Amino acid sequence: VQLVESGGGLVQAGGSLRLSCAVSGFHFEEFAIGWFRQVPGKELEGIAEIVNRDGITNYADAVRGRFTISSDSVQNTVTLQMNDLKSEDTAVYYCAAEKLWPDHPLSVDSYDYWGRGTQVTVSL
């Protein structure tokens, strides 16, 4: 199982970025994919997830209405479109996978497979 994030970078507040998570090594449609982020010194935070089997999505309150998660079963990628970025969105962003669905929504402990992360920096 391999997950590789891409698309991070530096953006001004109010701008947009699109993160991608390329997955391989498992049946894409049988897994849920989540996006998490971590600020130095703080705990890993779940922000969005999609259950590929039925398309159900969940969002953290901090990003709902600004971020959109989507899944492409042909390309085996999950995309996180991030709009209206704020300085507090600055973090390392990780994607993670769990078979079928997570036991608990947006829970770090519910995901078994992780990528290495990509840095997102939002400047004022």
Side-chain angles (χ1 to χ4, degrees):
V1 176
Q2 186 175 21
L3 300 96
V4 180
E5 303 93 339
S6 62
L10 174 64
V11 64
Q12 287 188 328
S16 299
L17 276 177
R18 177 177 292 182
L19 304 184
S20 291
C21 176
V23 303
S24 60
F26 56 84
H27 293 291
F28 184 76
E29 294 183 350
E30 294 181 0
F31 278 73
I33 305 295
W35 281 97
F36 297 78
R37 66 186 183 186
Q38 188 169 32
V39 176
K42 294 189 176 181
E43 293 185 351
L44 203 56
E45 172 191 21
I47 56 171
E49 65 191 358
I50 184 165
V51 179
N52 282 328
R53 172 171 281 196
D54 52 22
I56 290 176
T57 58
N58 289 311
Y59 295 93
D61 290 343
V63 306
R64 188 176 291 113
R66 300 187 297 123
F67 291 10
T68 302
I69 189 170
S70 60
S71 181
D72 184 336
S73 61
V74 175
Q75 298 292 329
N76 280 11
T77 59
V78 173
T79 298
L80 185 68
Q81 177 66 43
M82 306 187 296
N83 298 328
D84 189 25
L85 283 160
K86 305 175 181 180
S87 58
E88 52 263 43
D89 294 318
T90 295
V92 177
Y93 283 70
Y94 301 87
C95 63
E98 175 61 21
K99 191 167 186 180
L100 295 180
W101 51 77
D103 290 337
H104 303 284
L106 299 176
S107 169
V108 172
D109 292 338
S110 294
Y111 283 81
D112 287 333
Y113 307 99
W114 292 81
R116 294 189 174 186
T118 184
Q119 175 71 45
V120 171
T121 303
V122 183
S123 64
L124 294 172

